[in-house]
């Protein structure tokens, strides 16, 4: 029989351990700002890498001409071309195509991978219609969004630090990704130059800025999470190059690695992080790849200790990552009186049949605890960035501040995004009146093309 009292107790404990009272969140925001400072001061003294993007000019809206973008960051890559019409006409025309990368190329050789990409790029360029116009005598230019950790040495060069997300080509680590792509482009006989190499957060920031001049932060909440923002170049002690004319530099925070003793971490998160190929606790607590998995771990504990789902533990419940965040979200949003969507999901995904209503309620409660903790911590992260920028107070907040958000988690998990928004308002108080969160759907592709434009050799 179900040890009901114990089950309720486990969830109650979870709620206590995951609690994010506003006072704690303010401290987390402060800690984020402090870690940012440490990461800017020197290499390796902070969990936050605070990578220098070499983007010192964001799009102004004046960009003109034909530009390409290539977005590689997961199992698919995207190629895009855009005809920019300057201040008046903005995006005149845009076309894109998506290609999935064959599994064997993710673990083969770098030459093969880039040859495949360049061949697809060449096909796409060949399909360019008469409504796209390249200035006479100029070479096609492309912005390359490469969403893996890269140590950049200029706007158009950088070496791969390590692969993530299923890619594993050892010989590529330490090599310049632009050199590899350029070799492959030349081999295709394609006359094209890589003008910018950018992280997807930086692309999102650029794409956001093009549409709204007040965008100063970009946050990704999708499979993973990360953020980029505009920093004063003179406030980056580890930067020892010339100060850019604009006085600004975009920083790729790599915030998935953020850690603070203040974070409300449970044994479930800790175990998950220890078993993970990509350690980084902040990412575990707030991103789409992991929220459902944390819920699964809690449900497993309930099954083992309280027989919540029967005398034996449902075997599927032992399979890591079987409960995906979109399914968790569907259960969490279940508005039926008998929580029949929860019942159906438990049945379809985990093979758990005939759950009574109070069990379903406990499952929803678990989703609620994990989702709200994530959303509130993400809000604290954003507040920390705004604090670092001096945009977190009513006085400093006279200027409008826009945060560009991208990612399936923020876009589709309504309870999550509403909670994030409400928490940010709570954290900022008065100052929140000048802060806007804007969904920047897939801004990173166009962002990379825009950065190619602003770093064009013909400018
Ligand atoms: P990526 O981060 O890989 O570029 P996306 O931005 O498209 O991809 O985000 C995809 C992620 O968003 C999924 O891995 C999932 O975690 C999350 N997601 C997608 N749809 C939903 C949904 N309906 N509810 C909650 N999370 C979702
Ligand atoms: Mg993405």
């Amino acid at each position: 029989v179900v040890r009901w009292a114990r089950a309720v107790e486990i969830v109650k404990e979870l709620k206590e351990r995951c609690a994010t009272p506003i006072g704690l969140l303010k401290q987390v925001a402060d800690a984020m700002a402090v870690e940012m400072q440490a990461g800017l001061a020197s290499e390796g003294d902070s969990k936050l890498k605070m990578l220098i993007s070499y983007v010192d000019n964001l799009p102004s809206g004046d960009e003109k001409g034909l530009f390409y973008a290539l977005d590689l960051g997961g199992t698919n890559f995207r190629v895009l071309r855009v005809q920019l019409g300057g201040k008046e006409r903005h995006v005149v025309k845009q076309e894109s195509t998506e290609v999935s990368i064959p599994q064997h190329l993710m673990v083969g050789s770098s030459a093969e991978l880039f040859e495949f990409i360049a061949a697809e790029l060449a096909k796409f360029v060949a399909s360019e219609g008469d409504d796209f116009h390249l200035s006479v005598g100029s070479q096609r230019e492309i912005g390359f969004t490469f969403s893996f950790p890269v140590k950049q040495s200029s706007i158009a060069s950088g070496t791969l630090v390590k692969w993530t997300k299923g890619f594993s080509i050892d010989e590529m680590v330490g090599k310049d990704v632009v050199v590899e792509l350029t070799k492959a482009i030349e081999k295709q006989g394609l006359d094209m130059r890589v003008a910018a190499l950018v992280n997807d957060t930086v692309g999102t920031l650029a794409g956001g800025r093009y549409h709204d001049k007040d965008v100063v932060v970009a946050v990704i909440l999708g499979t993973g999470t990360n953020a980029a923002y505009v920093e004063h170049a003179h406030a980056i002690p580890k930067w020892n190059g010339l100060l850019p004319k604009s006085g600004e530099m975009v920083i790729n925070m790599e915030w998935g690695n953020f850690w603070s003793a203040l974070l409300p971490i449970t044994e479930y998160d800790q175990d998950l992080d220890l078993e993970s190929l990509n350690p980084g606790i902040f990412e575990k607590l707030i991103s789409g790849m992991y929220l459902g998995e944390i819920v699964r771990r809690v449900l497993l504990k309930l099954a083992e200790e309280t027989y919540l789902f029967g005398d034996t533990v449902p075997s599927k419940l032992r399979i890591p990552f079987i409960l995906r965040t979109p399914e968790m979200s569907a259960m969490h949003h279940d508005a039926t009186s008998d929580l029949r969507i929860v019942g159906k999901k438990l049945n379809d995904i985990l093979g758990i049949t005939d759950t009574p209503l109070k069990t379903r309620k406990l499952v929803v409660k678990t989703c609620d605890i994990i989702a709200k903790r994530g959303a509130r911590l993400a809000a604290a992260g954003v507040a920390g960035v705004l604090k670092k920028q001096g945009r977190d107070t009513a006085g400093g907040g006279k200027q409008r501040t826009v945060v560009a958000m991208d990612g399936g988690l923020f876009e589709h998990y309504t309870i999550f995004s509403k909670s994030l928004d409400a928490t940010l308002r709570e954290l900022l108080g008065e100052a929140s009146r000048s802060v806007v969160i804007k969904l920047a759907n897939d801004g990173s592709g166009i962002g990379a093309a825009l950065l190619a434009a602003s770093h064009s050799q013909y400018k």
Side-chain angles (χ1 to χ4, degrees):
V1 293
V2 179
R3 295 173 60 206
W4 190 254
R6 176 74 187 123
V8 170
E9 193 178 286
I10 288 176
V11 175
K12 185 163 165 274
E13 270 170 24
L14 178 74
K15 186 166 180 179
E16 286 163 7
R17 300 286 306 277
C18 291
T20 50
I22 206 75
L24 176 84
L25 293 180
K26 284 190 174 154
Q27 288 180 289
V28 170
D30 289 349
M32 178 68 81
V34 168
E35 280 298 310
M36 290 170 76
Q37 186 58 50
L40 292 173
S42 62
E43 220 71 73
D45 283 346
S46 167
K47 288 270 175 193
L48 295 179
K49 287 206 185 79
M50 304 298 283
L51 301 171
I52 292 169
S53 70
Y54 291 84
V55 171
D56 54 20
N57 260 307
L58 284 165
S60 62
D62 295 336
E63 291 77 9
K64 258 190 184 167
L66 168 61
F67 293 93
Y68 277 77
L70 195 157
D71 189 337
L72 176 65
T75 46
N76 294 319
F77 75 92
R78 236 158 57 95
V79 245
L80 167 154
R81 70 177 143 248
V82 58
Q83 186 76 45
L84 300 168
K87 257 286 170 286
E88 305 298 309
R89 300 176 63 213
H90 275 276
V91 174
V92 178
K93 195 175 163 94
Q94 180 180 336
E95 283 175 353
S96 67
T97 178
E98 196 164 306
V99 187
S100 79
I101 299 180
Q103 195 68 40
H104 71 274
L105 291 182
M106 297 184 183
V107 293
S109 72
S110 53
E112 278 177 307
L113 175 65
F114 281 101
E115 265 169 42
F116 176 78
I117 291 171
E120 293 296 330
L121 178 61
K123 269 192 236 164
F124 183 67
V125 172
S127 73
E128 184 184 293
D130 293 340
D131 32 9
F132 289 91
H133 308 284
L134 193 67
S135 313
V136 181
S138 65
Q139 198 180 13
R140 283 184 182 74
E141 291 178 299
I142 186 163
F144 184 18
T145 307
F146 186 74
S147 305
F148 301 94
V150 162
K151 174 132 181 49
Q152 290 203 215
S153 41
S154 76
I155 182 65
S157 64
T159 54
L160 176 64
V161 177
K162 64 168 185 177
W163 288 106
T164 56
K165 297 177 270 197
F167 283 77
S168 171
I169 305 172
D170 285 346
E171 46 143 341
M172 186 64 209
V173 174
K175 281 193 190 165
D176 188 324
V177 293
V178 174
V179 169
E180 296 306 301
L181 176 59
T182 302
K183 269 197 275 186
I185 285 175
E186 281 168 4
K187 217 167 158 187
Q188 287 295 324
L190 199 57
D191 186 23
M192 197 174 220
R193 169 182 173 262
V194 181
L197 170 66
V198 297
N199 181 269
D200 55 350
T201 51
V202 177
T204 300
L205 188 64
R209 173 67 69 91
Y210 185 68
H211 296 293
D212 186 330
K213 64 176 177 29
D214 294 324
V215 170
V216 288
V217 183
V219 174
I220 305 241
L221 285 161
T223 307
T225 183
N226 193 9
Y229 76 106
V230 182
E231 182 57 277
H232 298 296
H234 64 73
I236 310 171
K238 72 178 176 185
W239 168 257
N240 39 34
L242 289 174
L243 285 187
K245 255 189 280 171
S246 67
E248 294 182 337
M249 180 59 77
V250 173
I251 301 291
N252 163 17
M253 292 176 62
E254 292 291 334
W255 88 358
N257 247 2
F258 173 66
W259 181 87
S260 157
L262 297 159
L263 291 176
I265 299 171
T266 66
E267 76 220 54
Y268 310 105
D269 321 312
Q270 204 89 58
D271 293 349
L272 171 60
D273 198 37
L274 284 173
E275 290 162 30
S276 154
L277 289 174
N278 300 311
I281 200 71
F282 200 53
E283 178 150 273
K284 301 293 176 312
L285 301 180
I286 71 175
S287 83
M289 180 159 176
Y290 304 106
L291 297 182
E293 168 63 6
I294 295 173
V295 170
R296 181 197 68 86
R297 285 169 182 257
V298 177
L299 298 185
L300 178 59
K301 164 123 168 168
L302 287 167
E304 284 174 340
E305 287 200 13
T306 77
Y307 315 109
L308 188 65
F309 306 116
D311 295 342
T312 55
V313 174
S315 58
K316 286 189 175 165
L317 197 49
R318 296 193 185 279
I319 303 173
F321 294 96
I322 195 169
L323 180 62
R324 295 168 57 251
T325 302
E327 314 287 1
M328 165 193 177
S329 167
M331 293 198 287
H332 198 178
H333 288 95
D334 188 353
T336 62
S337 58
D338 56 349
L339 295 177
R340 82 185 81 106
I341 296 170
V342 177
K344 182 163 172 20
K345 292 287 176 194
L346 290 175
N347 187 14
D348 294 354
I349 302 161
L350 300 168
I352 301 168
T353 53
D354 299 324
T355 40
L357 181 59
K358 63 178 182 175
T359 298
R360 296 177 186 183
K361 281 187 175 161
L362 211 56
V363 171
V364 173
K365 182 141 194 210
T366 303
C367 295
D368 194 61
I369 294 166
I370 300 304
K372 296 237 172 96
R373 177 185 62 170
R376 290 173 66 81
L377 288 173
V382 176
V385 178
L386 296 180
K387 187 183 175 79
K388 179 74 184 64
Q389 291 179 309
R391 289 170 180 264
D392 65 324
T393 57
K398 275 229 168 56
Q399 73 259 67
R400 185 167 164 270
T401 295
V402 182
V403 180
M405 290 270 185
D406 192 13
L409 180 69
F410 185 81
E411 188 180 356
H412 300 298
Y413 202 147
T414 313
I415 295 175
F416 182 97
S417 37
K418 282 200 169 143
S419 168
L420 193 164
D421 192 69
T423 307
L424 186 62
R425 313 243 150 253
E426 202 180 339
L427 282 167
L428 296 176
E430 276 286 281
S432 81
R433 277 194 269 164
S434 54
V435 175
V436 180
I437 294 181
K438 247 191 181 180
L439 186 66
N441 222 333
D442 254 325
S444 78
I446 183 125
L450 287 160
L451 288 170
S454 52
H455 293 87
S456 165
Q457 63 190 325
Y458 305 109
K459 261 193 68 181

